[in-house]
Amino acid sequence: MLTLDGSHGEGGGQVLRTALSLAVLLRRPVSITRIRERRPKPGLQPQHLTVVRALAAVSDARVQGDALDSMEISFEPRILRGGHYRFDVGAMTGSAGSVSLLFQALLLPLARAEAASRLTLVGGTHVLWSPTVDYVTGVFLPVLREIGVDAAVTLRRRGWYPAGGGEIEAVITPGRGLRALRWETPAGPPRLAGISTVSRLPVTIAERQRQQALARIGERCLQADIAVVGDDGALGPGTSLLLTASGPGRLAGFCALGRRGLRAEAVADAAVDPLLAYLDSGAAVDDHLADQLLPFLALAPQPSVLTCPSISEHLRTVAWVVERLLPTRVSFDEGPPARVTVIPDAGGPGVPTTLDRTAS
């Protein structure tokens, strides 16, 4: 059984999610030790434990160590089974843990299952340290469609920290294989867009976020189409702003969340600043998208190349996990912009598999 050090690199839940997701796809047993060892609350927290149990459910896995605060697990998947599933991140302790991270962990294997899947996921849809559902639908999934992943997410109810209770429905239709991605130098000027959202708060907050973002972007002689959304269906209050840059050979997203005491203008600045830095870098994708795409690109039949503003510790950590589960090499050039090259079947330390890499 392959054993991975869960404290490696970024040292958070990334090792756990990526390793178990690939393990289910490959039907390969793994054990993970020292899970989140350096975090203030080490071990499996509710959102991580939900990922473990969800991946076990779709693979009929034998699992040891799946308990709150556990620092070590063993995971032996036996099958890969599409179907209808419901998972609630807050079922154990009322957590507002991220449904986006849960969805991404399930998507990788279920996109290669024999049958389609419909997922209902309950928890936090707009929470810190994870992509918002707006980012998933507006950035992550559109790029995956470019490489052959057929999945759609519908936001049923927003869930903010600490109330949680958000809900999404995801439909995943398996395909025959994945295509490589070669996004190095974007062509032409970017199209800038966004969505400014408030739940259970005055819509004027979302308007102020929008106006500040437009003013900042306008200083660069750029324009953006930013929608304003007011929502009373969430269980608790919250605000967010997502800004995207799209065009031939590029897609990136930058999200900021409001909190008590933080002015709407500061929320806007927190999204605009990385957007402008990204545009200055000349990169094709944002740093977060780079690490989210990497496991999918490792399964394509041909090499992939993409550029991002920098090589994050998350990206290095995902590459480390991928190279231990697949015969794939990932190389980095610091740039600028940073360049990521993914070479499948490159004789890396991961063992060869019989996984069909045929492009659809």
Side-chain angles (χ1 to χ4, degrees), residues 112 147-148 175-179 299-302 345 354-360:
R112 302 298 293 272
I147 65 172
R176 289 186 58 243
L178 300 177
R179 296 182 289 271
L299 297 167
Q302 300 296 329
D345 293 324
T354 58
L355 184 68
D356 178 14
R357 293 177 182 266
T358 305
S360 58

Side-chain angles (χ1 to χ4, degrees), residues 9-30:
E10 180 270 338
Q14 191 77 60
V15 172
L16 177 83
R17 289 188 298 271
T18 306
L20 296 189
S21 186
L22 283 169
V24 170
L25 176 63
L26 303 172
R27 266 79 97 197
R28 181 177 181 187
V30 297

Side-chain angles (χ1 to χ4, degrees), residues 67 71 87 102 132 184 196 244 293 297 321 323 336 347 351 357:
M71 299 281 289
F87 303 110
L102 174 58
T132 64
E184 300 178 67
S196 183
T244 62
L293 292 176
L297 299 179
V321 175
E323 289 185 332
V351 298
R357 293 177 182 266

